[in-house]
Amino acid sequence: MALSGIQIYKLLPQTNCKECSFPTCLAFAMKLAAKQVELSACPYVSEESKKQLAESAAPPIRLISLRANGTELKVGNEVVMFRHEKTFYNKPGLFLRVKASDPDLAKKVAAADAYKVNYVGMDFSIDGFAIELDGNPEAAKTVRSVTKRPLILIGNDAAALDSTLSQLAGESTLIYAADSSNHESLADVAKKHKAILAVKADSLEALADLTQKVQARGVEDMVLDLGGKNLGEWLTRSTQARRLALKSNFKPLGYPTIFFAAQNGLDKEAVYASQAITKYAGFVVIDTFAPEMIYPLLVLRENIYTDPQKPIQVQPGIYEINSPKPDSPVLVTTNFSITYFAVANEVEGSGLPAWLVVTDAEGMSVLTAWAAGKFDAERIAKAIKGFNVEEKVSKKRIVLPGHVAVLSGEVEEELPGWEVRVGPREAVDLPAFMKQVLN
Amino acid sequence: MPIEIPKDKWAGSIRAITIGATSAEGGTRSRCVTIGGETTMPYLHFEAPTPNKPVIAIEIKSRKPEDWSPLLMEVWGEAMTDPAQWAKKSEEAGADLIALGLTVEDTPDDAVRIVKSVLSATGLPLIVWGPGQAEKDNEVLVPVSEATKGEKLVLGICEDKNYRTIVATAMANGHLVQARAPMDVNLSKQLNILISDMGMPKERIIMDPTTGALGYGIEYGYSVMERLRLAALQGDAMTQYPMIVTPGFEAWKTKEAKVGEGVPEAWGDWKARAIHWETLTAIALVESGADIVVLRHPESVARVKDAIEELITA
Ligand code: B12
Ligand code: SF4
């Protein structure tokens, strides 16, 4: 855990020589505790103190990075229990489990690898594959021929893991999983290949013992399988492990976790995965490649991991949709990403050309911005003038979102010479409105 | 290695609140529903047991809603034209409560008749919402409240612009109220204070923090609920109410749930996606402290119910 200013002070020379440009060592220590200065500004810190300070600065939940050729996934390094306290940083990796022995292995992996879905302008996909090593020594090669994403290898046969990892040279792969019976041999394989080792046990005590043994054998990068028979038990363990790491700085459990969503049946898979996403999992492994399930899971993950301090926004400006011409309609909306894309996707999908004026509403939705006074006649008029809309169009007519129909009179006053129309409330109804009402 | 698990010790707790009254208590319900009473963050049984599990209300309307998704039309079928039958089917689908939404077309007489028909069709406790326009709400909720005196219904939705009449009639007739504020801890507190200042007993207020669907604002609702629960546990009396949220309403408004054609292929099968949308929205809210989730599709009800059982029996 991070040291307090006083604790840091005790590790400094306490000579108040001022070379760090602070009047006293204590003042410098306070700044260090607040992470506003670098330790290197003091030339006189002893090696021993440096070591202690570095240890205390280590993240309470170790940052784990899975790498393949050109792709990388980072998990861990989290600092809070609740997202409003700061934010959750590294999204849990979503992995699809496949069997090495599956005759359709290449086909299945290729299909899932190609999966891509767009949510408010961002492309999402799954992060990698978890290969169950049940025979077929060539599986890694097969998988590598169709995907560049990071891998998890599931198996307890050290020899099979060793030979498979040899086919994945230069990568950083996760091995699942060492338990009390095989941790020595698996730790040796992990060490040899610089792999990450998942460790499992059925209690936090046993798990902590195991991670220490694995660490003593030379493996630093680990991932925890917390066990647990159902949602409730896993929630308890996940909360306890996170608290121990963050609040007690308990290093033996300071690692990201892995969770298998289909462990109690495919009908529970989506629900299990969603709890894992909201409650601290580092890796979520699913068994079903179903876009109708993966899309909502990816959206949930995005929502939980957005920074609660700042809404996702788009740049205010005038956006051209489907190559508008001077007589195409001018639509007005706000710069909240979800709002912008709801409108832009609808219009784009309809094939109808339009100018979309995105006002600076400080990243708020239409009604939120309206209620907060960030989307009013003045701001709308300012956007129309500021983005030189007049020069682009031949027909001076704008369309307001239906939810802010009340603004139309004021907008007319602010924009003399412009015709103001009120559109439908929901973006889904825009294309029909554009076809039938605007012409 | 022995481990000492850090435990939170809280000064406050959520109030336990009972909805519905049996004949012994002056109503006609065959059973009541008690929610709240929590003394920890959700389902942390290692700190304290969860005294009452979260419950599921199924949302029905007084008239067949023409703008609902075809998937909901398909699953409820003819029952949608008859609120009594719809309520009965909802009970069969596993609802713990019925949430009946009145519409602008309902006259006060219609409203009373419909509420009574629903009460006689099912023994479950009932939530009744006005059509959502201040004047109309008052016009229909007051006679409904009077005609069902002693049933301990939940009347709503009370918002800062419109709560006085609803609270007054609920107080006079022994009902509860649903107090909704737009996703803000302080606004929720403020409304709860206004309502208690009118003299409403504290065990008759259920707080509605407002929520958004998956992909459409759930991140705000999720965190506001965690913050409200934390504030309550820290001892802030004006946040110590159970929470009701409407993931069904929010999720079925989204394009992902509503629209089956002309959407990206990467969205997958429409029906399965729509149900996931509602279920996952609800699960996230259950994890963040919801005591009542109001849902629309029976399949989502089954899945959320199953998840709640697992959370509660850990
Ligand atoms: C999430 C949310 C928030 C978030 C902010 C999210 C954000 N970045 O904007 C937070 C929690 C911060 C918030 C705060 C507030 N909120 Co708020 N919030 C919501 C909520 C739940 C969802 C909004 C949303 O994201 N909708 C999704 C987007 C996509 O919708 P949209 O922008 O309207 O776009 C749609 C349409 O308008 C249309 N459209 C958009 N552009 C265009 C253009 C044209 C031409 C056309 C035709 C159509 C069109 O297409 C879109 C899809 O159909 C709503 C309630 C609800 N469930 O809707 C309340 C709501 C909007 N909030 C409300 C209020 C009052 C507030 C606050 C003022 C409360 C307060 N005092 O704190 C604050 C204001 C912010 C501030 N002071 O800083 C009220 C507004 C009431 C009203 N009618 O005036 C609402 C309706 C809740 C309620 N029922 O009371 N809020
Ligand atoms: S440079 Fe080092 S020793 Fe000198 S005052 Fe700063 S902290 Fe103290």
Side-chain angles (χ1 to χ4, degrees):
Chain A
M1 203 185 315
L3 296 177
S4 69
I6 303 291
Q7 286 167 321
I8 295 175
Y9 171 71
K10 290 185 180 144
L11 297 171
L12 294 178
Q14 306 177 14
T15 55
N16 301 335
C17 77
K18 301 190 177 57
E19 274 184 50
C20 57
S21 83
F22 288 91
T24 60
C25 294
L26 181 61
F28 181 66
M30 291 299 174
K31 289 286 169 188
L32 265 180
K35 297 198 165 65
Q36 289 163 349
V37 290
E38 294 290 327
L39 182 63
S40 55
C42 168
Y44 306 112
V45 196
S46 71
E47 284 309 313
E48 175 54 29
S49 294
K50 271 187 196 157
K51 199 172 144 240
Q52 280 192 39
L53 285 163
E55 262 170 27
S56 81
I61 296 174
R62 194 176 172 84
L63 182 71
I64 296 292
S65 144
L66 257 61
R67 259 175 296 105
N69 242 337
T71 55
E72 184 173 26
L73 172 77
K74 288 186 174 149
V75 305
N77 230 0
E78 300 298 335
V79 296
V80 291
M81 298 297 296
F82 301 106
R83 53 191 292 283
H84 67 264
E85 295 171 317
K86 188 148 182 75
T87 186
F88 291 175
Y89 288 101
N90 291 305
K91 295 175 201 171
L94 189 65
F95 281 69
L96 179 69
R97 174 155 70 171
V98 290
K99 284 186 190 310
S101 62
D102 188 335
D104 289 330
L105 182 62
K107 216 171 99 195
K108 273 193 186 155
V109 172
D113 184 76
Y115 181 75
K116 198 169 78 176
V117 67
N118 190 282
Y119 168 70
V120 298
M122 297 173 279
D123 275 331
F124 293 154
S125 54
I126 65 169
D127 299 290
F129 297 89
I131 312 173
E132 204 166 313
L133 298 181
D134 58 348
N136 182 10
E138 298 298 308
K141 278 197 191 123
T142 308
V143 170
R144 265 290 159 259
S145 69
V146 286
T147 180
K148 292 196 160 89
R149 300 181 195 277
L151 299 178
I152 299 174
L153 302 180
I154 302 176
N156 46 22
D157 175 353
L161 286 165
D162 186 23
S163 78
T164 306
L165 285 164
S166 305
Q167 301 165 32
L168 300 167
E171 302 191 9
S172 163
T173 301
L174 172 61
I175 304 175
Y176 179 91
D179 58 24
S180 58
S181 69
N182 66 6
H183 64 274
E184 293 183 345
S185 58
L186 261 57
D188 292 344
V189 174
K191 191 174 172 198
K192 174 175 167 197
H193 295 279
K194 294 199 173 64
I196 297 140
L197 187 58
V199 173
K200 72 173 172 185
D202 204 42
S203 75
L204 294 186
E205 285 82 2
L207 200 53
D209 286 338
L210 211 48
T211 60
Q212 285 176 304
K213 285 183 190 150
V214 169
Q215 194 189 30
R217 233 177 149 87
V219 176
E220 298 286 342
D221 286 333
M222 280 177 263
V223 165
L224 311 174
D225 181 337
L226 303 173
K229 66 176 185 304
N230 66 11
L231 282 180
E233 209 168 278
W234 191 78
L235 174 66
T236 293
R237 293 183 188 193
S238 180
T239 306
Q240 291 178 337
R242 177 105 151 187
R243 273 198 198 163
L244 281 161
L246 298 187
K247 300 196 170 176
S248 316
N249 198 27
F250 185 67
K251 293 285 178 213
L253 294 178
Y255 302 96
T257 59
I258 185 167
F259 184 77
F260 288 80
Q263 57 184 281
N264 282 348
L266 292 180
D267 53 331
K268 294 178 189 267
E269 189 174 24
V271 167
Y272 272 46
S274 52
Q275 173 175 285
I277 288 168
T278 56
K279 292 293 176 180
Y280 319 134
F283 297 89
V284 181
V285 182
I286 54 174
D287 283 9
T288 314
F289 172 67
E292 57 271 18
M293 175 179 84
I294 291 171
Y295 173 43
L297 287 175
L298 291 169
V299 172
L300 177 65
R301 182 177 77 167
E302 179 62 26
N303 288 169
I304 295 295
Y305 278 75
T306 53
D307 185 342
Q309 261 48 273
K310 35 181 189 258
I312 33 172
Q313 312 187 9
V314 292
Q315 195 63 31
I318 180 159
Y319 288 75
E320 302 184 4
I321 300 186
N322 298 329
S323 322
K325 290 175 270 313
D327 63 347
S328 300
V330 181
L331 313 174
V332 179
T333 190
T334 71
N335 69 325
F336 183 33
S337 279
I338 302 181
T339 302
Y340 166 81
F341 282 103
V343 178
N345 287 345
E346 231 27 272
V347 178
E348 206 176 295
S350 72
L352 300 166
W355 305 95
L356 182 56
V357 175
V358 175
T359 62
D360 180 1
E362 299 177 21
M364 290 183 208
S365 80
V366 168
L367 275 179
T368 311
W370 178 77
K374 308 292 183 195
F375 186 56
D376 54 16
E378 215 175 297
R379 285 198 184 220
I380 293 171
K382 198 173 141 203
I384 298 288
K385 290 175 192 154
F387 304 136
N388 296 327
V389 183
E390 202 169 326
E391 290 164 22
K392 298 193 163 67
V393 300
S394 56
K395 206 178 218 165
K396 286 166 63 173
R397 182 179 64 183
I398 60 168
V399 181
L400 298 181
H403 280 298
V404 290
V406 290
L407 286 179
S408 59
E410 289 168 44
V411 176
E412 270 168 5
E413 276 172 34
E414 292 279 342
L415 287 173
W418 284 78
E419 183 192 346
V420 178
R421 298 287 280 270
V422 175
R425 286 167 165 256
E426 302 302 331
V428 201
D429 303 318
L430 244 174
F433 175 84
M434 287 165 69
K435 269 184 224 143
Q436 287 153 21
V437 187
L438 297 183
N439 40 44
Chain B
M1 160 192 314
I3 295 179
E4 197 190 328
I5 308 282
K7 289 187 185 171
D8 286 329
K9 287 201 183 59
W10 301 109
S13 62
I14 310 297
R15 219 167 257 112
I17 285 182
T18 299
I19 308 165
T22 61
S23 57
E25 295 142 348
T28 61
R29 304 301 74 212
S30 53
R31 60 188 165 92
C32 313
V33 163
T34 300
I35 51 169
E38 300 95 341
T39 57
T40 67
M41 289 305 281
Y43 321 110
L44 301 185
H45 306 293
F46 63 100
E47 291 184 341
T50 307
N52 297 295
K53 63 179 180 189
V55 295
I56 296 169
I58 293 184
E59 180 182 354
I60 65 172
K61 301 289 276 183
S62 60
R63 285 157 203 267
K64 186 176 179 187
E66 296 303 334
D67 59 344
W68 279 28
S69 164
L71 295 172
L72 292 166
M73 303 280 194
E74 170 193 287
V75 70
W76 292 114
E78 268 305 292
M80 285 178 117
T81 58
D82 175 6
Q85 214 200 326
W86 196 351
K88 208 180 224 152
K89 277 187 101 169
S90 301
E91 183 169 5
E92 285 159 20
D96 301 297
L97 296 151
I98 304 293
L100 166 65
L102 300 170
T103 56
V104 276
E105 290 86 31
D106 298 328
T107 64
D109 287 347
D110 290 340
V112 170
R113 182 179 43 80
I114 291 167
V115 170
K116 286 198 154 170
S117 76
V118 169
L119 282 171
S120 47
T122 142
L124 299 181
L126 186 62
I127 300 168
V128 180
W129 294 329
Q133 296 173 12
E135 251 167 68
K136 251 327 222 176
D137 283 357
N138 298 344
E139 201 179 298
V140 292
L141 288 176
V142 172
V144 163
S145 166
E146 287 166 356
T148 57
K149 190 173 170 103
E151 289 283 8
K152 290 191 87 173
L153 309 183
V154 180
L155 299 180
I157 296 175
C158 298
E159 298 185 65
D160 62 349
K161 298 183 292 285
N162 183 41
Y163 66 92
R164 294 177 167 276
T165 309
I166 304 176
V167 172
T169 188
M171 261 165 66
N173 297 292
H175 300 303
L176 293 79
V177 292
Q178 174 174 346
R180 172 179 286 180
M183 286 201 193
D184 183 283
V185 173
N186 290 320
L187 292 178
S188 275
K189 276 178 69 168
Q190 217 171 67
L191 183 60
N192 295 341
I193 292 171
L194 291 171
I195 293 176
S196 335
D197 281 354
M198 282 183 68
M200 185 57 145
K202 292 193 172 57
E203 53 300 325
R204 275 159 55 192
I205 301 173
I206 301 173
M207 170 165 85
D208 175 351
T210 310
T211 197
L214 186 58
Y216 297 83
I218 196 175
E219 65 271 43
Y220 298 96
Y222 181 89
S223 285
V224 164
M225 287 167 72
E226 288 192 330
R227 290 174 54 204
L228 280 165
R229 173 73 81 90
L230 284 166
L233 295 175
Q234 281 154 9
D236 179 345
M238 277 303 140
T239 53
Q240 294 172 336
Y241 299 97
M243 291 188 274
I244 178 171
V245 277
T246 52
F249 169 78
E250 296 294 339
W252 287 100
K253 229 176 24 183
T254 67
K255 184 167 180 178
E256 280 82 352
K258 241 178 151 167
V259 183
E261 275 166 33
V263 299
E265 207 177 307
W267 286 14
D269 178 73
W270 177 27
K271 184 170 165 190
R273 173 181 76 238
I275 292 170
H276 281 313
W277 220 263
E278 182 178 35
T279 306
L280 266 52
T281 302
I283 292 292
L285 300 176
V286 165
E287 300 281 357
S288 59
D291 295 279
I292 305 179
V293 285
V294 188
L295 298 175
R296 288 186 173 177
H297 198 286
E299 181 56 35
S300 314
V301 172
R303 291 186 201 175
V304 176
K305 225 178 156 70
D306 188 53
I308 289 173
E309 281 316 314
E310 289 197 20
L311 284 167
I312 215 82
T313 55

